Structures are given as structure tokens and as C-alpha cells.
Amino acid sequence: MASEYILELQNVSKRFGSAIALRDVTLRLRRGEVHCLLGDNGAGKSTLIKTLAGVHKPSSGAFRVDGAAVEFESPRQALDRGIATVYQDLALVPLMSIARNFFLGREPVKTRFGVFPALDTATMAEVAADRLRNMGILIRDANQPVGTMSGGEKQCLAIARAIHFGARVLILDEPTAALGVRQSFNVLKLIHHARDQGISVIFITHNVHHAYPIGDTFTLLNRGVSVGTYAKDAISKDEVLDIMAGGTEMQKLMSELDGVAV
Amino acid sequence: MSRQPLIAIKEPVADASAAGTARAAAPERDDRVQQQSLLHRFMGRPESASIAGALLVFAIFGYAASGSGMFALDGILNWQTVAAYLGIISIGACLLMIGGEFDLSMGSMIGFAGMMIAIPPLYFHWPVWLSVLVAFVGCLALGWLNGYLVIKTRLPSFIVTLAFLFILRGLSLALSIHFTNRTIVSGIGALAAEDWLAGALFVGTVGEDLFNWLAAHGMVAMTSDGTPVVHGVPKVILWWGVLLVCSSLVLSFTRIGNWIYAVGGDANAAKNVGVPVKAVKTSLFMFTAFCACLFATLQVCDIGSAAADRGLQKEFEAIIAAVIGGTLLTGGYGSVVGASVGALIFGVVQIGITYTDANSDWFRVFLGLMLLVAVIFNNFVRRRVTESR
Ligand SMILES: Nc1ncnc2c1ncn2[C@@H]1O[C@H](COP(=O)(O)OP(=O)(O)OP(=O)(O)O)[C@@H](O)[C@H]1O
Ligand SMILES: [Mg+2]
């Protein structure tokens, strides 16, 4: 493997009609690092990771996996390269069961009666329930519809699924947004675990207390443009917070608000 | 690709206090598992309401049409045949609806396919098997075109296939007038019966020997000339059965079935996890076209003629049967067994009314009410399933 980077976006732009969601963004993901992607609402974070996941094709720029240029036609091709994503909208089908959602698109099949390629429903239910249990979610029945789960449970399901299938790269778009303290902690632990196993992680969050302890590298997006990439030793938690909160202006406002409160 | 867990957390994830919380919550959950009785599970199936409806309909007609011969063997085959024709297209409509789309061109396609089958042998001396084959290929191509346009334009399939409802009906009329100078083309029956393909697969009945034997032993009534009143089971009923078994196996137990539910439930989510959404939807449009063509072939072979107005409003009947069977109009949920039970209700009511004293105009009233009840009930089911607790 020639390249030091597992995923590489170089000067990538993405336009939706006339709207420019990303402009000349460069992002490099090292093997086995946790790379935090930070930025305001609408900064283009989700668009960026959807480009990596094969949902969007870049309007211009280069996309390389293991140093070789790729053009994903569909998310399936990204998944086949071991790149799994937890989308912000989770990509779960509410009317379908937990087990069926967990394996959607990669269902295990068992040949029955010598010819009939049937779903291996027993394995599906077992594995799904087991992976959820690992995340601290106990379910009554893996065959209950996902629509009946709580928001946090759904999020855990989407994360458990990505971890189960994300062989090399795990992309998490605000995975802890709806989670309780314990479940958030579990997710951070899972990210940590993933890194230990050599899996590279892209982690989007608005919570600096989640991002800073776990991140190795931080990239800031602002209105579709990359403001910079910082290694952890080059930046302090306060500076990250500063970046996330929108700089000194924001701090001034904060202190003013504090003043009012006092 | 690996199905192995990438990160197996061996030690309990939660710390002691958290595990305690989880354990405290556990018994409540277990109680709820035990409450899931067999009846409860049956009630959770999409087709349960339609089965209850069918029992009700049987009870009503068992009472209202008792002694009329409706439930004698020939009476049964009579309404079964009507149900089977509708069942074939309602299975197609049901799968497509589960996949989140509609096909309003099914009825017109029945008329169009009938003409494609009947005209070439009668006017251009084609063998029947060839015209049947060409009709199937043509219908599959039209189904593909429906799917392609829906996917490309991202318009609702309702509108795209509504256009084809008119286009195909108009084409059936115009082309039959152009080639034959009439809108009803008859005389294909004998040719079809002699044809090796149509004769074997579509014309007539099966099980004649069985029915002769049953008649000889007094188990089936005989006419005055010594033949049984029922010659055999019409092939359309067998087609319905085969289609029902195959499609419900595929839907419930295969990857393709899983994908059909997924593209109808949330096409975007399905796409994001790697389901080939476009291919699934296009195939479903082709399958409904296949069902419409099968309907037309069986009908042409049975009646011995094709007419440009055949299949009028059949698209609605197919959709109604699917909805009565518990399929959601919004997609992602339903069952072909339910759709077939819906078709059965149709057949029983439509034919059953002629066995009673009631005016057969009541048929539509009854079906309309049935549809209304089914939609309200289905909506309730959907809300229960999709809303978070
Ligand atoms: N499919 C689309 N069509 C048109 N515009 C889009 C599309 N997807 C995203 N955009 C636009 O691109 C911009 C970036 O959106 P994106 O979802 O990437 O933001 P984000 O950084 O993920 O925000 P958040 O923190 O709220 O999740 C927004 O202005 C959005 O309106
Ligand atoms: Mg986002």
C-alpha cells in the first residue's frame, strides 16, 4: 500500500444546481486515526461525508482510496470497499424489523431445500440483538419494527450496523446527537475500540467534550470551505471550542451573556 | 467482505451502576414478550383484517345464498375463477405498492396485450405461441419504460402510469381499427387450443380425469349426457396459486423481498445502505406488466376473442384488492396473501350477489365500503408501527 492515507479528497467541490455545498475541500484520512469534522449547521459536513460514502459524486476534484482514484457510482461500492457510514438521518426503514434493517443490503442467505436462497432470519435476529446489547440497548424482540424504537435506540442501531460492516473506515455523522450519557459514552468507547483495531474514523459532532478527547485530527468547515486541518498536539481544547463556537465574536457575546446572568 | 464483527466488546460495556439500571429495566421488557400470544402475532400481520373480512363475507353469503348452488362445486369454481383473474393482477399491484409505486396502466395493458395476442395469428398468420411470446416481451418492455420514466423524471408513478392508461387504451382502439377495422377480434379460441404453447399453458382446465372419476363415483353431479358438470379446474386458478406461492416466498424469505419492503418504506435509506433501488423498482414495474399480460393471455384463450375495452378499470380493482388485503398506499408494508384474499372477497361478492335476490348494483356499494374500512384500519396499523413509543 503506497499511500499513507486511506481516504483522500483533493480540491473537491459539490454543487446542487446553483447552490455550492462544498468548494475546493481537501481532506486526508490517515490509517487508524480519528478525524473530527467540525463546523456550523449547513457548513457542508454531511455533504462531505456523503461524497465519501458514495451517495454524491463530486462535481469536481479528486477522490482517492488507498492512493488510487475512485468514482463510486453508489453507496454499495463504498460499502464493498469497507467504508461504512452512519448517516445523520440514520438510513433506517421504520416499517421494517430491527433485524431486517440491521442487515439491509447485506443479508445473510442460507440455501433451503437445496435450491431456495432464503434469508437466514435466525442469524439476523441473533446478531442484531447481540450487537445492540453490546451498545447497552436491550430489545424485546429483533422482529419488532424500527418505528417503535426511541430516537436514541434507533441511533444505536445505525451505529451498531456500521460498526459491524465497516471493515476499514467508519464515518459517523453526529452519532451522539440523541443519545443519553451512557450511550454517548459507549459510542466514544466504540470509536476508541475501532481505532485500536486499525479502523479509521471520521467523526462529526457539535460537542467538543466528545470531539476533543477522542480526536487525533480536526478539520473545520465553514460555509463549504475548509478552514484548516489541525493535529491534536497543535491545538488546545479551548481553541477547538473557539473554532466550533465561531471565534472571538462568539466569546465576546458569551461573556456579555454571562455578565447579564451575574 | 467480512461478516465478522469488527469490534467485539467482550467485557460488559456498561459499568456496574449502568448494568444495574439495565437489569432493573429488564423484567418489564420480559413481561411484554410473554404477552405476545399467537392471536396477538396474527393480528400484527398485514393480511389478518382481510382474512376476518373474508370470513364475514362467506358467512353473509352462506346465509343469503344458501341452497342457491353458490357453494356447490360449479358455483365455487365460478367465483374462484373471477377471484383468480383479479388475484393475478392484484399480486402484481400489491408488490409494486409495497415497493412504493402504483401502476394505473395495468387495465389498459390487458386490453393492449389481448390485441397483441389475437391480431397477428388472425390477420398475419403468425403461430399463436409467437404472438403470445411477443406480447409478453412487449408488455415487459412497457413495464420497463414505466419504471424508467418514473425513476428518471422523479414524478409520482401515479401520473406517469396515468399517461400510459390513456396511451395504451387509445393505441388498442386505434391499432385494432387500423388492422382489423373492428374493436372486437374474435375467432382466436380454436387457434389457441391447437397451439402447443397456449394449448398447454393457458387454454381450458386441468384434472378432467379426476372429475370424470369423481362423477362416476357420484361425488360430482353429472349432466344428462353423462359428463360431470365441472370438467376440471380452470388453468387461471392454478396460475393464481403458483404466482401467489412464488411471490409470497420471495417477499417474505429472500433478499429481493427485503429490498422490496425497503424501497417502499424509505427509498433514500435503502439506497444509502446499498440496496439497488432503481433496479428493484424497475423490476417491479416489469412484474406488474407481466401479470397484466398473463391476465390478457388467459382471458383471450378462455373467451376466444380480444377486445379493445378489455381490462377496463382493472387497475383500480387490483389496487383495491391489495388495499383490502392490508397493503399500505404509502408503501413499505403489505402482503400478497392479503391481496389474494382481497381478490377472493371481490369474487365472492361479485358472483355471490347474483345468487341472491339482491340487485347486483349493490356490489359496488359493498366494495366501496369494504375499501373504506380497510384504508382506515391500515392507516391505524401504520401509525401504530411508525410512531415512536
Ligand atoms: N441534496 C441537496 N440539494 C440541495 N442542496 C443541498 C443538498 N444537500 C445539502 N444541500 C445544501 O448544502 C449545504 C450543506 O448541507 P449539509 O447537510 O452538508 O450541512 P451540515 O454541515 O451537515 O449541517 P448540520 O450540522 O446541520 O448537519 C446546505 O446549505 C444545504 O442546504
Ligand atoms: Mg449534517
Side-chain angles (χ1 to χ4, degrees):
Chain A
M1 299 213 173
S3 178
E4 170 187 3
Y5 302 107
I6 188 157
L7 291 186
E8 223 175 325
L9 287 179
Q10 196 174 341
N11 297 337
V12 162
S13 298
K14 177 69 195 172
R15 285 182 293 275
F16 295 106
S18 61
I20 300 173
L22 295 175
R23 187 184 307 167
D24 281 338
V25 172
T26 296
L27 180 120
R28 298 194 173 88
L29 181 65
R30 279 203 182 75
R31 284 165 208 290
E33 77 167 349
V34 175
H35 196 129
C36 293
L37 198 53
L38 312 171
D40 274 347
N41 294 126
K45 305 182 295 296
S46 296
T47 308
L48 183 67
I49 61 101
K50 279 183 180 168
T51 309
L52 296 171
V55 176
H56 297 320
K57 267 199 258 181
S59 307
S60 67
F63 180 12
R64 288 188 281 271
V65 176
D66 296 322
V70 291
E71 233 178 273
F72 290 145
E73 295 294 328
S74 72
R76 166 152 224 109
Q77 295 180 355
L79 276 162
D80 288 341
R81 299 290 296 265
I83 303 168
T85 306
V86 177
Y87 298 93
Q88 200 167 8
D89 59 12
L90 304 182
L92 296 170
V93 184
L95 284 161
M96 292 173 76
S97 74
I98 294 171
R100 280 175 180 253
N101 263 290
F102 191 95
F103 284 96
L104 189 54
R106 347 215 86 204
E107 299 86 350
V109 169
K110 203 159 130 183
T111 303
R112 295 203 194 267
F113 313 116
V115 286
F116 184 65
L119 291 179
D120 190 352
T121 45
T123 307
M124 285 164 64
E126 207 175 293
V127 173
D130 183 60
R131 295 296 171 271
L132 276 172
R133 202 175 315 116
N134 283 349
M135 297 203 53
I137 301 291
L138 293 174
I139 50 169
R140 268 180 284 152
D141 176 6
N143 294 315
Q144 82 192 61
V146 160
T148 62
M149 298 173 96
S150 75
E153 285 173 328
K154 284 181 205 160
Q155 205 152 41
C156 288
L157 174 59
I159 297 167
R161 175 174 66 184
I163 287 175
H164 187 71
F165 291 111
R168 304 198 307 144
V169 179
L170 197 54
I171 302 174
L172 306 164
D173 194 351
E174 297 190 31
T176 53
L179 295 191
V181 176
R182 182 162 65 92
Q183 276 75 13
S184 297
F185 173 69
N186 281 344
V187 170
L188 295 181
K189 207 160 164 179
L190 284 165
I191 294 173
H192 189 72
H193 232 291
R195 177 172 49 195
D196 282 353
Q197 302 201 349
I199 296 172
S200 318
V201 181
I202 293 180
F203 180 35
I204 299 178
T205 177
H206 288 293
N207 188 334
V208 70
H209 305 297
H210 290 165
Y212 195 75
I214 197 112
D216 299 310
T217 316
F218 303 86
T219 292
L220 171 71
L221 281 188
N222 184 20
R223 306 228 272 149
V225 181
S226 171
V227 174
T229 298
Y230 309 91
K232 186 165 191 169
D233 45 26
I235 194 167
S236 73
K237 189 168 181 172
D238 284 341
E239 281 168 312
V240 175
L241 185 60
D242 208 31
I243 291 171
M244 290 173 77
T248 43
E249 224 176 298
M250 188 72 140
Q251 274 194 337
K252 224 158 77 189
L253 178 66
M254 297 281 271
S255 56
E256 271 172 31
L257 285 176
D258 276 347
V260 170
V262 169
Chain B
M1 143 237 123
S2 130
R3 293 224 168 79
Q4 294 303 310
L6 290 153
I7 304 158
I9 297 182
K10 290 288 184 289
E11 79 277 3
V13 172
D15 58 27
S17 66
T21 330
R23 227 165 270 134
E28 186 237 342
R29 283 156 191 259
D30 287 348
D31 283 350
R32 295 173 73 169
V33 173
Q34 279 154 8
Q35 279 168 13
Q36 286 257 335
S37 67
L38 219 59
L39 181 71
H40 204 92
R41 294 187 72 141
F42 172 73
M43 295 294 287
R45 301 274 318 152
E47 62 271 6
S48 59
S50 65
I51 290 173
L55 292 177
L56 179 71
V57 165
F58 275 120
I60 291 172
F61 282 95
Y63 174 74
S66 60
S68 66
M70 181 182 167
F71 293 98
L73 191 58
D74 53 338
I76 291 176
L77 285 184
N78 208 346
W79 48 259
Q80 273 282 352
T81 303
V82 172
Y85 271 109
L86 183 58
I88 287 172
I89 52 172
S90 72
I91 287 171
C94 172
L95 284 180
L96 185 64
M97 278 169 72
I98 295 175
E101 305 290 346
F102 289 100
D103 186 354
L104 296 186
S105 68
M106 281 187 103
S108 299
M109 203 175 291
I110 289 170
F112 188 70
M115 284 299 175
M116 280 206 282
I117 292 163
I119 292 177
L122 289 170
Y123 290 83
F124 308 110
H125 308 294
W126 289 24
V128 175
W129 64 264
L130 184 62
S131 72
V132 168
L133 213 64
V134 168
F136 271 100
V137 172
C139 284
L140 288 174
L142 284 168
W144 176 86
L145 184 63
N146 267 333
Y148 177 82
L149 289 175
V150 167
I151 287 164
K152 267 288 155 199
T153 61
R154 300 191 189 178
L155 290 169
S157 51
F158 179 84
I159 291 298
V160 172
T161 58
L162 184 64
F164 276 91
L165 181 156
F166 285 98
I167 293 170
L168 291 179
R169 186 63 74 195
L171 274 179
S172 307
L173 278 163
L175 292 180
S176 62
I177 294 281
H178 176 80
F179 286 114
T180 71
N181 217 6
R182 63 195 63 184
T183 58
I184 299 179
V185 182
S186 46
I188 186 80
L191 289 175
E194 287 163 19
D195 186 76
W196 64 270
L197 182 82
L201 290 180
F202 306 116
V203 181
T205 57
V206 290
E208 285 87 355
D209 295 342
L210 176 71
F211 281 88
N212 281 329
W213 184 86
L214 287 173
H217 290 75
M219 279 179 272
V220 171
M222 272 190 280
T223 55
S224 51
D225 61 358
T227 55
V229 288
V230 174
H231 299 295
V233 177
K235 282 177 184 158
V236 61
I237 295 179
L238 295 187
W239 273 107
W240 179 31
V242 169
L243 218 55
L244 173 59
V245 170
C246 293
S247 59
S248 65
L249 284 178
V250 166
L251 192 57
S252 302
F253 299 113
T254 68
R255 299 185 75 185
I256 308 278
N258 212 32
W259 295 350
I260 292 173
Y261 282 117
V263 300
D266 188 337
N268 195 36
K271 179 188 162 219
N272 284 353
V273 294
V275 174
V277 174
K278 290 175 189 173
V280 171
K281 289 206 171 188
T282 309
S283 320
L284 287 174
F285 275 106
M286 290 172 77
F287 182 69
T288 55
F290 171 86
C291 292
C293 193
L294 181 60
F295 182 112
T297 312
L298 287 160
Q299 196 182 44
V300 166
C301 290
D302 182 41
I303 302 179
S305 69
D309 64 349
R310 287 273 163 75
L312 205 62
Q313 294 191 351
K314 284 292 170 199
E315 61 281 338
F316 292 116
E317 291 184 14
I319 290 171
I320 292 170
V323 171
I324 290 177
T327 305
L328 289 184
L329 288 161
T330 43
Y333 192 74
S335 102
V336 287
V337 174
S340 296
V341 174
L344 186 68
I345 292 175
F346 244 94
V348 171
V349 177
Q350 189 176 357
I351 300 300
I353 271 182
T354 64
Y355 283 91
T356 66
D357 302 329
N359 186 323
S360 54
D361 296 334
W362 288 98
F363 163 61
R364 287 173 197 286
V365 176
F366 189 87
L367 277 176
L369 287 176
M370 211 61 197
L371 176 66
L372 201 59
V373 172
V375 170
I376 292 170
F377 182 81
N378 292 349
N379 196 36
F380 163 74
V381 169
R382 182 181 57 83
R383 281 224 304 271
R384 203 186 56 186
V385 171
T386 50
E387 274 170 19
S388 297
R389 56 182 147 87

